[in-house]
Amino acid sequence: MSQPDAVAETTQNDDAPLLSLENVDVHFEKDQGLLEFFEEPDVVRAVDGISFDIEENDVLALVGESGCGKSTLGKTTIGLQRPTGGTVRYRGQDIWAAKDGVGEVDIPFSEIRSSLQIIHQDPGSSLNPNQRIVDILAQPIKQTHPSAGRSERRERIYSLLERVGMNPAADFADRYPHQLSGGEQQRVALSRALLMNPDLILADEAISALDVSLRVEMMDLMLDLQSEFDTSFVFISHDLSNARYFAEHGDGRIGVMYLGELVEVGPAEQLIEDPGHPYTNVLRWATPDLALHAAGASDPPMRKIDIPDPVDPPSGCRFHTRCPEAREACRESCPALTGETDGHRTACFRTQPDHEYWDSPPLDD
Ligand code: SF4
């Protein structure tokens, strides 16, 4: 399929990663009730001290329990959420400096935003119910190809609808979103994102609302289009088996989040087969089609089920209140993500043979 040509010309740093996050925090003040009006607001540490790079044609699947901060991190990665600390760079350009017009801006914020697209869990809510599909899909073409006439736009739209499996395209193009199934709406949302000629698409729980039978089909479609359109994907899921499928078939990485922190990141197969972090092991246990569960481990490999409050996360390693391997050292200091820079990295003292953890007594609470 032909690629749309770029509209804007900018100065880009060719050596810089597509996206680079450095020590990113996103802290929110919690809404307060009337009785708490004069009290200091509670601060939710949704994302804390996260760094990683995303390259061209890269795939990163972020996984973790609900409320772990993965959606907030995804939105921060594509410039939809302003971080409260650290920097997010697109091709070397600080995204929020571009937004605020601070310093020398090589890439305008509007161009950065259109290069970083999102598809949501509920595509129905992001498609205008009063517009036909053809009109919804015409908008990104008008933006990226202002000189394209009506018939050229229609041709592009039909060709893409056929490519995403919506045949006959002319029939689907004239429908309204409510006349489509959830899977068809998601294909339209994906088409709309692709028509922006994006460098990266954030798929935020984009397959979670689909029938199980359609999930693999949708993931395969996204991965096929990823190579055709030369785009990268950040794929967010609470389900490790979906994250594994997407990352393995896209030759990408899985990033595991726990209470706002990235606790393990690595090539999909390596991370699943040989997890370094005890929390990754919990996710494996909770995923029925992975080996650990099949082996008959009936109890979760955790000391406590309850998830701590992100307003007041545990000291030291945030997983220490639930970790079956926790020792006193884990309560006192926080493990950094260590390992090969572009390979498998884990935030757990157990991966460091000389750490004082090994001489520290087990936790007794
Ligand atoms: Fe568990 Fe300690 Fe490793 Fe944290 S650092 S995951 S508490 S063993």
Side-chain angles (χ1 to χ4, degrees), residues 62-268:
L62 286 175
V63 69
E65 287 160 304
S66 158
C68 69
K70 54 192 186 303
S71 279
T72 305
L73 178 61
K75 287 180 186 141
T76 309
T77 304
I78 62 165
L80 272 181
Q81 169 69 51
R82 189 187 279 263
T84 52
T87 50
V88 184
R89 290 194 172 82
Y90 167 83
R91 300 189 185 283
Q93 168 67 56
D94 183 321
I95 292 183
W96 293 96
K99 165 86 175 159
D100 298 337
V102 173
E104 196 176 321
V105 175
D106 291 328
I107 309 176
F109 184 72
S110 57
E111 188 184 331
I112 296 173
R113 280 294 310 114
S114 65
S115 301
L116 306 173
Q117 291 292 309
I118 182 169
I119 50 177
H120 300 273
Q121 176 170 359
D122 175 13
S125 63
S126 68
L127 302 176
N128 185 336
N130 301 316
Q131 284 191 321
R132 290 175 307 148
I133 302 308
V134 68
D135 297 321
I136 290 171
L137 295 181
Q139 284 164 6
I141 303 178
K142 285 179 188 168
Q143 205 174 321
T144 55
H145 295 79
S147 61
R150 197 162 177 271
S151 62
E152 189 185 337
R153 286 200 299 269
R154 241 176 212 269
E155 205 178 302
R156 278 180 188 272
I157 290 167
Y158 284 12
S159 144
L160 190 52
L161 284 175
E162 278 168 15
R163 178 64 192 85
V164 299
M166 296 178 75
N167 283 304
D171 174 24
F172 281 105
D174 283 332
R175 294 194 201 171
Y176 288 89
H178 74 270
Q179 295 173 309
L180 303 180
S181 69
E184 289 161 351
Q185 288 177 351
Q186 201 56 289
R187 284 162 202 261
V188 171
L190 178 60
S191 303
R192 183 176 58 182
L194 288 167
L195 286 169
M196 290 300 291
N197 192 25
D199 286 323
L200 179 137
I201 296 176
L202 169 66
D204 188 2
E205 296 280 11
I207 61 159
S208 306
L210 301 183
D211 283 351
V212 175
S213 57
L214 291 177
R215 289 182 192 167
V216 168
E217 205 178 302
M218 190 68 195
M219 285 191 282
D220 284 342
L221 178 63
M222 286 194 271
L223 290 167
D224 286 348
L225 293 170
Q226 186 230 343
S227 42
E228 277 176 45
F229 279 77
D230 259 351
T231 188
S232 297
F233 262 97
V234 172
F235 177 87
I236 291 180
S237 178
H238 62 277
D239 182 323
L240 184 59
S241 62
N242 289 332
R244 176 198 198 177
Y245 187 92
F246 199 82
E248 259 183 23
H249 288 78
D251 197 17
R253 296 164 292 163
I254 294 179
V256 178
M257 284 191 72
Y258 182 75
L259 271 188
E261 295 179 332
L262 194 59
V263 296
E264 186 163 9
V265 63

Side-chain angles (χ1 to χ4, degrees), residues 277-278 317 319-320 323 325-326 330 335 348-350 357:
H277 200 282
C317 174
F319 190 52
H320 86 253
C323 179
E325 310 290 351
C330 308
C348 173
F349 297 135
R350 293 174 63 81
Y357 163 90

Side-chain angles (χ1 to χ4, degrees), residues 20 26 57 84 150 171 224 237 279 295-297 311 327:
S20 184
V26 184
N57 297 311
T84 52
R150 197 162 177 271
D171 174 24
D224 286 348
S237 178
Y279 177 63
V311 167
R327 300 188 182 192

